[in-house]
Amino acid sequence: MTKLKNWIRLGIVLLLSIGGAIVLIRSPFFDITKIDSLAPDFHYNAISMSATIGGFLFTGISILISVIDKERIKRLWDNSYLDNLCRSAFVGMIANITTIIVAFLLIFLDADKQVVNILIDVEITTLIVGIVFFAWCIKHLIFVISKLK
């Protein structure tokens, strides 16, 4: 039952973060032309931020792997309580890698304005998803660290 709950939570957080990003992008307060006018600096900053967050997520997974031999952590792992930590880290890393790829495309690709706007939407959405899953992964990692004491 825990595994099913973990998958449901992961799906809900993913859908809410994508939905929130789409609502933000479509809101009248958000203007893509301002992002387009900041190019390429905005895209370089998105690459830097995504690479940093992706590195922290990878480090979180490494910490988890290094403490898996502790009896308390092994018990949490065996009972599927750490599944969402790993899954949220992987979703966050995938979102950050997608942000980096799209940002590079926006820097080096000379495309139609409509394609650029779609790529900016994807870049912002994956950036938001990466940040949300980073925060969620940190929450799970704090839980694991608190169990080590």
Side-chain angles (χ1 to χ4, degrees), residues 48-69:
S48 297
M49 190 169 106
S50 293
T52 303
I53 290 174
F56 282 132
L57 290 170
F58 191 75
T59 302
I61 293 296
S62 299
I63 290 170
L64 179 65
I65 291 170
S66 70
V67 297
I68 201 71
D69 62 333

Side-chain angles (χ1 to χ4, degrees), residues 2-3 6 76-77 79-88:
T2 303
K3 288 184 179 188
N6 287 341
L76 290 171
W77 182 268
N79 292 315
S80 302
Y81 286 101
L82 299 179
D83 290 351
N84 274 354
L85 174 63
C86 290
R87 291 182 188 130
S88 64

Side-chain angles (χ1 to χ4, degrees), residues 5-140:
K5 284 182 190 177
N6 287 341
W7 279 110
I8 290 171
R9 285 184 188 142
L10 183 76
I12 289 171
V13 171
L14 182 61
L15 290 175
L16 286 176
S17 61
I18 291 172
I22 290 171
V23 167
L24 174 72
I25 289 170
R26 298 294 174 229
S27 75
F29 306 108
F30 192 80
D31 189 11
I32 283 187
T33 59
K34 289 183 181 178
I35 291 176
D36 197 26
S37 68
L38 294 173
D41 292 338
F42 176 82
H43 308 304
Y44 286 124
N45 290 335
I47 291 169
S48 297
M49 190 169 106
S50 293
T52 303
I53 290 174
F56 282 132
L57 290 170
F58 191 75
T59 302
I61 293 296
S62 299
I63 290 170
L64 179 65
I65 291 170
S66 70
V67 297
I68 201 71
D69 62 333
K70 307 279 187 211
E71 186 171 327
R72 291 179 186 174
I73 303 302
K74 182 133 179 68
R75 192 172 43 238
L76 290 171
W77 182 268
D78 291 340
N79 292 315
S80 302
Y81 286 101
L82 299 179
D83 290 351
N84 274 354
L85 174 63
C86 290
R87 291 182 188 130
S88 64
F90 288 126
V91 170
M93 284 188 273
I94 290 169
N96 287 311
I97 290 169
T98 305
T99 301
I100 292 168
I101 291 169
V102 171
F104 273 123
L105 286 173
L106 286 165
I107 291 169
F108 296 115
L109 191 66
D110 188 26
D112 184 40
K113 186 73 170 165
Q114 187 176 7
V115 172
V116 169
N117 287 345
I118 291 170
L119 287 175
I120 289 175
D121 287 349
V122 170
E123 180 183 32
I124 302 278
T125 302
T126 56
L127 197 58
I128 290 171
V129 169
I131 291 169
V132 167
F133 276 89
F134 174 68
W136 198 29
C137 188
I138 292 299
K139 175 189 164 283
H140 286 291

